Amino acid sequence: MSGVAFFLFTLIYFSSSCCSAARFQHRHRYMERKLMIALASKIGINYGRQGKDLPSPYQSINFIKSIKAGHVKLYDADPETLTLLSHTNLYVSITVHNHQITSLGTNQTTAEDWVKTNILPYYPQTQIRFVLVGNEILSVQDRNITANLVPAMRKIVNALRAHGIHNIKVGTPLPMDSLRSTFPPSNSTFREDIAGPLMLPLLKFLNGTNSYFFINLQPYYRWLRNPMNTSLDFALFQGNSTYTDPRTGLVYHNLVDQMLDSVILAMIKLGYPHIRIAISETGWPNSGDIDETGANILNAATYNRNLIKKMTAIPPIGTPARPALPIPTFVFSLFNENQKSGSGTQRHWGILHPDGTPIYDIDFTGQKPLTGFNPLPKPTNNVPYKGQVWCVLVEGANEAELEEALRIACGRSNTTCAALAPGKECYDPVSIYWHASYAVSSYWAQFRTQNVGCYFNGLAHESTINPGESFVLLPKLDKNNSTYCHGSCGREMIAASFRALLCEEEQLKEMEDE
């Protein structure tokens, strides 16, 4: 072969190879984009099971199909549920428990065993699309879990690839408090304590595997903290109010876009401008404690309906910083979950009652006009409650339940139940009911600013009615006009805003003695 001929052959060969590689990359990007749009077009639902009265997985899956959700996110990898889901067209996300992360991150064999146990028996009949490693791990005290998060994610991907599985993305849901600041969006950055050790390795992994940054997004709490500067309509995707970021000039018409762009711009500042984003949890509470303003059925319905309408739009709307970006989204959640701790809103995010009837009507396809839903009653709690609130025991609790409430309330701090010790001012009367009443009131007053609710596994609730007002006999007044009841017990409760008068029996006894 002449030199000229060889040169031409070589040129044609490498040109053909380059064209083939370019075609492959183009097709790969096309398929990724197609998958991303498919995932985003199917609004998902979070299926949690922390409730006493919830239906079986079989019934729950039928309910999920009835609301026309396209994707279901599990907080575990429950075998029964995954088997049942194989008979549906639902996309599925499964979760690795936080406590499993360290062992997965330190041993490839453990990760392979996890994939063999939790994915291979069900895939591809069950359309698993996401494996979420942990859930809001920043709230976990064990630093080993945080350190092993990305290694665990990498080892799960290795195990999936070893079995030829390439269409399951691996990620981890993080809360908004992973950001140091979020307002304005252009000012957003990740927290200094996690930016280097956690976020940089995580973003590198997500970028390298073409996965998603999953964010748990709850505009309700953002609005609740500062309702004077953020209008309720802005949080609910309605009204005409806007906000313009002073640095970028981007104009925001709702709080969700503002929060999403905070995450996007924080990732850009760490050098990752192209990582896709997904909303792993978002919603609005349908009820809550007395002082949790705006938690009601109308606001929940309005938020979720408008959210679904935005996220299912074709072509995708995206955000001001990422126009036309498809964003996979999971509504939180399928049911109210009455075994969750914390404030009342923690137990009231559901869209269905346990029997499958809707708490409010909703269309997960986004095709129903917003004017096509039946009207809901106007709320009465869209403005802050300004009265007093008491924490009181529910009626009908048995002695074993009261003892459990007493144990919970007195177990955290030595001062909570100090007045109930033998010989102390509130020891008498020796009644489990009154001791438990004092304990829950004292505990709630002491720790309510730390997101402790007046709930105690359903044994207590908030009330706007002073429990002492139902008694004809009023507490005595001492010489300083301070209400008292058996020593200083009553004064302690009033001063600490315990708001539960626990001493009626003592008053009756003292009057009888007089």
Side-chain angles (χ1 to χ4, degrees), residues 145-252:
I145 292 177
T146 306
N148 281 286
L149 174 64
V150 176
M153 296 168 73
R154 189 178 297 113
K155 286 178 173 59
I156 289 174
V157 168
N158 292 341
L160 290 171
R161 299 291 184 268
H163 293 279
I165 300 173
H166 297 273
N167 66 342
I168 296 178
K169 299 297 182 183
V170 177
T172 186
L174 293 175
M176 282 298 294
D177 65 9
S178 58
L179 297 171
R180 180 180 63 82
S181 60
T182 60
F183 185 81
S186 59
N187 194 42
S188 63
T189 56
F190 288 106
R191 286 167 24 194
E192 290 87 347
D193 62 316
I194 62 171
L198 176 61
M199 298 315 302
L200 277 173
L202 175 61
L203 295 178
K204 181 179 180 181
F205 168 84
L206 298 177
N207 190 63
T209 58
N210 208 17
S211 190
Y212 295 80
F213 186 101
F214 287 88
I215 187 73
N216 288 351
L217 196 76
Q218 305 299 2
Y220 169 73
Y221 291 120
R222 170 82 171 267
W223 169 78
L224 184 65
R225 287 196 300 268
N226 201 359
M228 300 302 295
N229 290 338
T230 303
S231 73
L232 181 59
D233 282 346
F234 190 72
L236 296 175
F237 300 93
Q238 58 186 13
N240 298 316
S241 62
T242 61
Y243 172 77
T244 301
D245 191 302
R247 295 184 181 179
T248 63
L250 296 174
V251 179
Y252 294 91

Side-chain angles (χ1 to χ4, degrees), residues 432-449:
I432 184 63
Y433 179 83
W434 292 119
H435 277 212
S437 297
Y438 178 93
V440 300
S441 299
S442 175
Y443 183 88
W444 183 65
Q446 188 175 359
F447 297 111
R448 63 178 302 191
T449 58

